[in-house]
Amino acid sequence: MVLAPIAPAREAELRALLDSMNEAPGRVNPNNALLPFEKFETLHFARLLVLNDQTIGDVGVYGLATRTYPLYLAFLGDIDGEASDFLAEVAQRAFEGLRAIFSCCEGFSAETDLVRWMQSHEAAPIANYVNWRGRTVRRAREEAKLRDALESYLAANTAALADLPPRELHQDLQRFVAAEKSAGRLTLAGEESTPVGWWIKNTLHLVGMPLLFLVALPLLIVVAPFYLLRLRHLEKTDPELCSRVDQAYSDKLAQTEDHLVTNQFTAMGSLKPGLVRLATTTGILWTVNWGARHLFTRGRLARIRTIHFARWVFLDGHKRMVFFSNYDGTVESYMDDFINKTGFGLNTVFSNGIGYPRTNWLVLDGCQDERKYKDFLRRHTLPTQVWYKACPGLTAIDLERNSRIREGLETTSLSEEEARQWVALL
Amino acid sequence: MGRTLMKHDEVDYSDVQGLVHFGYGKMTEASYALLRIKDADAARAWLQVAPVTSAATMNPPPSTALQVAFTAGGLAALGVPGPVIAEFSPEFLAGMTEESRMRRLGDVGSNAPAQWEWGYETDVPHLVIMFFAEPGGLTNFVQNATGPGWNEAFAEMRWLKTANLDGVEPFGFTDGISQPQIDWERQRDPTRPQIDYSNVVALGEFLLGYPNEYNKYTDRPLVDANAASADLLPAEDAPGKKDVGRNGTYLVLRDLRQDVRAFWQFVRQRAGGDAVEGEKLAAAMVGRTRAGDPLAPIQNETIPGIGSQPDQIKQNRFTFDQDPTGSACPFGAHVRRANPRNPDFPGRPASLLSRVITMLGFGPKGFRDDLMSPVRFHRILRRGREYGPELLPENALTPASPNEPERGLHFICLNANISRQFEFLQNAWIVSTKFSGMTGESDPLLGNRAPLPGCPVTADFSRPRAAGLRHRFAGLPRFVTVRGGAYFFLPSLRALRYLATIGSG
């Protein structure tokens, strides 16, 4: 994520530039002149937005003075491969467009080196979630094409194929796909080999985090009672700020929502003051990040199956936090999903934000107060000016189905039951 | 917990409009007046003495009933103060035709509000007055009940007439079989996880002022006690406040025009002209036979909130657990979409440990496991009535005559949270082309078939088979068109008196 303070005098100009990238509010032009997103074959999602936090005054409930923060522009991309490669490519292909955009930010002049400037403004997330590790945009597109090809073939040959036993149908479709591949009509590239460096880093992360935890455990045990006492006290006294959200603001957000089967979400707010809250947030998000990287790598974040990508980023010396996600369905169903399926997880992270509905032992209550939680979240939601999705019609479940279809096809021999389950995906 | 819940006062049925408690099945005649307020004083005067029927059981039962509900604009026209109105839920205030809502509800293309007969922009009614009567009684009842002040008070936008099709909706299927059982006595503790499907739903899901399925209270106006509100009941969750919403609820009304001929001609044609196969396809699209028997298998275990009469067992003692492949009842069948009958967790984890394992994401991992939100948060109480003359399937195969009468459903549902109940259900389960792991198909009856960006195919219907390739039907026509609709507040009788006096002088 590139994060840069906007030059106050240039904000209006920047907003006009961002709007020019859309066909209509909430509907990006994927081939817009400034940043033709669809030209980047490793880009799943992208967004550009002004981080205009409406709630910076909330620290007042703790008797703290409202701080003045710069107004930031954020540019995010969820990509395959290395960020540095993507930045180099985007800087090359969208040179003029990006310069026009970033020239509205502080410290960007005609002489600035674009790539270096973006790198120096990189804001690293503390936690990152990817729905399906290793599924590249290219792979997602190939698998979507594969499904379309199978659909057409099945539709055209229903009479001959409909009553085949599953294993025979599986074999027939394998033959069909092999023929399509050799005729050059279908491509199913093999898994790209994982770079050794990535593999080493990943293994170190996998082992390192638990090791660090073990090393720190004696200290944690000593600190735990004091931590819990303090946390319980805070939980009982931290004020809630869950007033009804301003309808005009909510309507403005809604304008950009529900144009596709997938939506974007950005929420921002200030952390509760004090070390306990900061330590809790950091510890939980390290855990989330570790889990997302090593455990929840195939289509599920705990029970949630609708999130494509998500990330959490600290801002302004850990005073504020911003959360980004790309999810399927409406914001209402997204929030219901969280409350009903992973309320505990939601509470552990977001209850460290000022005004969150009261939790109990960190995991209980909180978002279970549905009305307060939804108002809280809507109030913290930011409008996203520009949002791009590479496969606009595909949900995370669609992508999973397509991947399962492909995996089944590439399995030489299926048992009767496996074949039945595979055929049921078609 | 159960004991503390029972401490509360019982619901005062005489304060609740009867429609929440009864479907008025014996009153087979009904007509709904969509009105705009012409003169606020006269409207208040009429409403103050309106013979509104309560949910109290009467002996003998009444032979007529009258119910009143307001839109947000109607409350304003009645002179209800802005700050009071502002505390109603956002979706009620914004109305059904707010721009992003149209996308969520599938009200685009031919369903777009700009083409509605009523309910858009200047055509939003202020209130609906619903008249019900036993056979032969409606005309007299309307005449007597409207009375002399009526014309001074209201401008009639239109009358929504209804027809009695004997519990069968216009396509020819028995309707209204499955309804949630309201937990009137508040016996159930909603904070306990629901491992098995239950048809008993918290009172607060259907009546404002009571705990809902989260054991919390839903948005509604609370006011300081004053002269006008003296009669209102107190708010359970806010000491010192009077509850304008208590014993009231939200009412969703949608005029759904049904193309009965298109439906039966489609299934007959796709069945190769075979009448029996055609009816089977129609049943697969609905998820029940025309007589109302579910295609999903009946289970032996009882289901809370579903009775043990033979009819109730035969028609409602089922979940879709016994049909995991969708080969009995397709995943996309209307009844499976409208009520997936799923509890809080996949795989019914009985122990706390197995629940924690599931919560952490290590439960069942099948493709179709855990795709839907638990249904108990998304139930609605249906109170719709049909309109138009009956057209039997066998007579629906000929082309429409030039002056073909209109047929359809005045869909009505009651819910305390429009956004989480009606709108969620309509959006995520009915309109969505991605329901239950499918792609390319929306509700076979209600879908608008409009393409979405990146999803050119939205008009399929699939019938899975236990072993073998699914049967997929492409190119379903649109059988239902939305012709009007609005969100209303159905007040309690006390709140009605309050609303009808607060604005005067």
Side-chain angles (χ1 to χ4, degrees):
Chain A
M1 175 170 105
V2 175
L3 183 76
I6 299 166
R10 308 284 299 278
E11 186 192 337
E13 187 189 338
L14 174 64
R15 285 181 182 273
L17 276 176
L18 297 179
D19 288 345
S20 78
M21 299 166 80
N22 292 324
E23 287 167 352
R27 304 186 79 145
V28 72
N29 173 359
N31 196 24
N32 71 83
L34 289 176
L35 186 44
F37 296 107
E38 65 182 15
K39 301 245 161 70
F40 302 94
E41 286 175 1
T42 58
L43 181 63
H44 294 260
F45 287 89
R47 77 180 82 180
L48 288 122
L49 75 159
V50 177
L51 295 182
N52 187 9
D53 182 2
Q54 305 288 310
T55 63
I56 45 172
D58 287 0
V59 291
V61 296
Y62 290 95
L64 301 172
T66 305
R67 294 165 59 121
T68 34
Y69 295 106
L71 187 63
Y72 292 108
L73 167 71
F75 169 40
L76 292 83
D78 295 297
I79 52 154
D80 303 318
E82 291 296 324
S84 52
D85 294 344
F86 176 73
L87 286 183
E89 191 194 352
V90 82
Q92 195 203 349
R93 289 198 183 202
F95 187 76
E96 292 303 329
L98 284 177
R99 291 199 75 87
I101 293 168
F102 291 137
S103 71
C104 300
C105 295
E106 303 274 13
F108 192 97
S109 69
E111 290 80 45
T112 306
D113 180 304
L114 180 58
V115 174
R116 209 174 294 162
W117 188 86
M118 288 196 289
Q119 279 168 346
S120 67
H121 286 80
E122 179 79 31
I126 180 166
N128 199 30
Y129 170 71
V130 178
N131 178 277
W132 198 282
R133 293 247 152 201
R135 183 168 53 214
T136 59
V137 177
R138 179 177 166 181
R139 194 179 160 105
R141 288 194 169 128
E142 284 176 1
E143 289 171 356
K145 269 202 185 132
L146 168 67
R147 180 182 181 271
D148 290 347
L150 289 173
E151 278 293 298
S152 309
Y153 175 70
L154 289 168
N157 300 282
T158 305
L161 300 174
D163 293 321
L164 286 185
R167 285 173 73 174
E168 284 177 41
L169 181 59
H170 176 248
Q171 284 159 10
D172 185 282
L173 294 177
Q174 278 181 323
R175 283 193 293 274
F176 162 71
V177 170
E180 289 294 290
K181 276 167 76 175
S182 58
R185 284 188 292 267
L186 268 183
T187 316
L188 290 171
E191 191 109 29
E192 280 166 48
S193 61
T194 310
V196 180
W198 185 93
W199 189 85
I200 293 173
K201 269 200 317 207
N202 203 50
T203 313
L204 281 178
H205 189 263
L206 170 68
V207 183
M209 281 284 295
L211 276 180
L212 266 178
F213 178 74
L214 280 180
V215 170
L217 195 59
L219 182 66
L220 292 177
I221 291 174
V222 175
V223 175
F226 303 99
Y227 167 82
L228 283 176
L229 261 170
R230 181 68 188 154
L231 179 73
R232 293 295 286 163
H233 171 74
L234 290 174
E235 281 187 325
K236 285 172 189 151
T237 53
D238 279 333
E240 294 178 330
L241 287 171
C242 308
S243 55
R244 271 281 279 275
V245 72
D246 173 53
Q247 197 53 44
Y249 184 70
S250 183
D251 288 347
K252 198 174 132 204
L253 292 173
Q255 222 183 35
T256 63
E257 291 168 346
D258 303 315
H259 292 280
L260 303 181
V261 291
T262 306
N263 275 305
Q264 48 70 32
F265 181 77
T266 309
M268 186 174 189
S270 302
L271 255 69
K272 289 171 178 170
L275 197 59
V276 163
R277 289 301 187 176
L278 179 61
T280 309
T281 316
T282 310
I284 295 291
L285 285 176
W286 277 347
T287 312
V288 168
N289 190 52
W290 185 84
R293 193 156 160 183
H294 304 293
L295 297 179
F296 303 114
T297 59
R298 288 196 29 122
R300 287 160 199 256
L301 177 57
R303 285 179 67 192
I304 309 279
R305 298 178 69 184
T306 52
I307 301 179
H308 294 256
F309 293 89
R311 65 173 95 182
W312 289 260
V313 185
F314 275 127
L315 294 182
D316 306 305
H318 298 80
K319 290 271 183 277
R320 298 196 291 167
M321 168 156 282
V322 56
F323 169 72
F324 305 92
S325 70
N326 301 287
Y327 65 94
D328 299 321
T330 65
V331 69
E332 181 77 17
S333 63
Y334 181 51
M335 290 193 276
D336 285 343
D337 236 12
F338 265 111
I339 299 170
N340 297 337
K341 290 182 172 172
T342 40
F344 69 95
L346 200 61
N347 287 342
T348 56
V349 180
F350 288 97
S351 69
N352 302 299
I354 291 180
Y356 191 84
R358 188 150 295 163
T359 54
N360 194 5
W361 293 107
L362 201 59
V363 291
L364 302 174
D365 298 343
C367 66
Q368 300 293 335
D369 199 330
E370 176 211 11
R371 188 196 62 76
K372 281 186 185 171
Y373 167 70
K374 286 178 178 172
D375 281 333
F376 170 87
L377 210 63
R378 196 68 173 164
R379 194 169 156 263
H380 285 275
T381 306
L382 300 187
T384 289
Q385 280 75 33
V386 180
W387 178 63
Y388 165 78
K389 185 187 181 209
C391 304
L394 299 180
T395 61
I397 298 291
D398 285 333
L399 294 166
E400 177 175 341
R401 180 195 325 97
N402 296 350
S403 287
R404 284 180 184 241
I405 289 175
R406 182 226 178 107
E407 283 168 8
L409 261 184
E410 291 178 345
T411 308
T412 343
S413 165
L414 298 179
S415 72
E416 202 59 53
E417 175 58 19
E418 285 167 341
R420 195 194 57 70
Q421 286 187 13
W422 183 80
V423 167
L425 296 168
L426 299 170
Chain B
M1 193 76 194
R3 218 167 279 149
T4 52
L5 285 174
M6 282 163 66
K7 221 168 50 186
H8 296 291
D9 299 338
E10 271 185 33
V11 176
D12 176 4
Y13 288 110
S14 69
D15 189 36
V16 181
Q17 293 203 46
L19 198 62
V20 184
H21 202 187
F22 307 112
Y24 293 132
K26 292 223 169 78
M27 301 181 202
T28 53
E29 296 189 343
S31 197
Y32 311 144
L34 300 179
L35 306 171
R36 287 185 70 86
I37 292 172
K38 210 156 57 175
D39 178 312
D41 280 324
R44 283 190 290 264
W46 191 91
L47 290 164
Q48 280 164 17
V49 297
V52 179
T53 317
S54 85
T57 308
M58 288 192 279
N59 202 2
S63 59
T64 58
L66 182 147
Q67 309 282 272
V68 183
F70 301 90
T71 59
L75 294 176
L78 201 59
V80 177
V84 176
I85 298 176
E87 287 192 35
F88 282 98
S89 71
E91 55 277 13
F92 168 72
L93 297 177
M96 195 181 276
T97 61
E98 183 265 324
E99 198 253 352
S100 72
R101 187 156 277 118
M102 298 195 269
R103 293 195 288 273
R104 289 197 292 281
L105 299 180
D107 294 343
V108 296
S110 305
N111 284 349
Q115 303 182 46
W116 286 2
E117 289 173 356
W118 62 272
Y120 189 54
E121 291 187 338
T122 52
D123 279 334
V124 180
H126 283 152
L127 68 161
V128 59
I129 299 185
M130 313 165 80
F131 299 87
F132 302 86
E134 287 183 355
L138 188 66
T139 314
N140 265 341
F141 176 53
V142 170
Q143 216 158 43
N144 295 336
T146 50
W150 174 269
N151 284 323
E152 196 193 333
F154 307 116
E156 294 177 359
M157 273 180 61
R158 76 175 44 228
W159 283 85
L160 303 179
K161 309 274 187 204
T162 71
N164 171 29
L165 303 182
D166 264 338
V168 172
E169 55 73 54
F171 290 138
F173 287 80
T174 308
D175 198 15
I177 298 169
S178 169
Q179 296 274 21
Q181 183 181 304
I182 304 177
D183 184 18
W184 290 98
E185 273 86 41
R186 297 155 82 179
Q187 299 278 355
R188 203 177 119 260
D189 174 7
T191 61
R192 291 185 54 177
Q194 200 173 88
I195 305 305
D196 294 303
Y197 170 67
S198 164
N199 193 44
V200 182
V201 181
L203 179 61
E205 292 289 303
F206 301 106
L207 220 46
L208 294 164
Y210 301 95
N212 59 23
E213 281 292 327
Y214 291 109
N215 210 24
K216 299 287 178 189
Y217 295 80
T218 309
D219 278 337
R220 79 283 182 205
L222 306 180
V223 294
D224 293 322
N226 57 33
S229 70
D231 182 34
L232 288 175
L233 292 171
E236 282 192 356
D237 56 335
K241 292 276 193 179
K242 295 283 194 172
D243 190 339
V244 180
R246 186 160 174 183
N247 289 336
T249 190
Y250 293 108
L251 181 151
V252 177
L253 172 57
R254 276 164 85 79
D255 181 346
L256 306 178
R257 178 105 4 117
Q258 295 176 244
D259 192 339
V260 179
R261 290 182 194 276
F263 178 79
W264 285 106
Q265 287 167 16
F266 172 82
V267 295
R268 177 66 73 91
Q269 185 242 330
R270 291 300 166 95
D274 185 300
V276 176
E277 285 304 311
E279 188 159 328
K280 276 190 193 159
L281 173 57
M285 287 160 73
V286 174
R288 291 182 184 273
T289 64
R290 286 185 58 207
D293 295 334
L295 304 187
I298 298 301
Q299 64 183 46
N300 294 324
E301 310 90 72
T302 57
I303 294 174
I306 287 174
S308 50
Q309 301 295 316
D311 251 18
Q312 293 165 320
I313 293 174
K314 190 164 87 97
Q315 298 199 312
N316 258 327
R317 191 191 274 181
F318 68 96
T319 67
F320 299 102
D321 285 5
Q322 269 90 39
D323 183 29
T325 61
S327 56
C329 179
F331 298 115
H334 176 70
V335 300
R336 197 161 182 164
R337 286 177 173 267
N339 182 1
R341 301 183 179 224
N342 57 324
D344 290 2
F345 300 95
R348 306 186 182 207
S351 68
L352 181 63
L353 181 66
S354 54
R355 281 208 289 282
V356 170
I357 289 172
T358 304
M359 274 164 67
L360 291 174
F362 305 106
K365 284 274 173 66
F367 176 64
R368 291 186 191 274
D369 287 324
D370 212 11
L371 284 168
M372 281 162 284
S373 177
V375 73
R376 65 185 173 116
F377 301 104
H378 311 290
R379 299 300 302 276
I380 55 171
L381 196 61
R382 291 175 299 146
R383 291 288 188 249
R385 296 242 173 169
E386 292 75 23
Y387 63 88
E390 181 181 50
L391 179 64
L392 292 171
E394 52 269 32
N395 299 330
L397 300 172
T398 50
S401 64
N403 51 354
E404 181 80 5
E406 285 155 353
R407 298 179 176 85
L409 179 70
H410 295 306
F411 170 88
I412 288 176
C413 78
L414 305 178
N415 50 183
N417 186 335
I418 298 175
S419 149
R420 174 163 56 75
Q421 294 171 267
F422 166 71
E423 288 187 350
F424 177 96
L425 201 163
Q426 171 76 11
N427 168 270
W429 292 350
I430 299 291
V431 172
S432 171
T433 58
K434 307 290 185 181
F435 173 77
S436 193
M438 294 180 294
T439 188
E441 56 185 275
S442 58
D443 188 282
L445 305 180
L446 290 166
N448 62 19
R449 324 287 184 230
L452 292 163
C455 310
V457 178
T458 58
D460 283 354
F461 174 66
S462 308
R463 285 175 79 178
R465 297 192 302 168
L469 187 64
R470 79 287 177 285
H471 205 148
R472 182 158 294 155
F473 301 86
L476 264 68
R478 185 165 34 76
F479 301 121
V480 171
T481 310
V482 187
R483 301 305 295 147
Y487 292 151
F488 297 86
F489 170 59
L490 183 86
S492 71
L493 273 65
R494 284 188 174 90
L496 178 62
R497 285 192 290 275
Y498 166 78
L499 298 171
T501 47
I502 181 78
S504 53

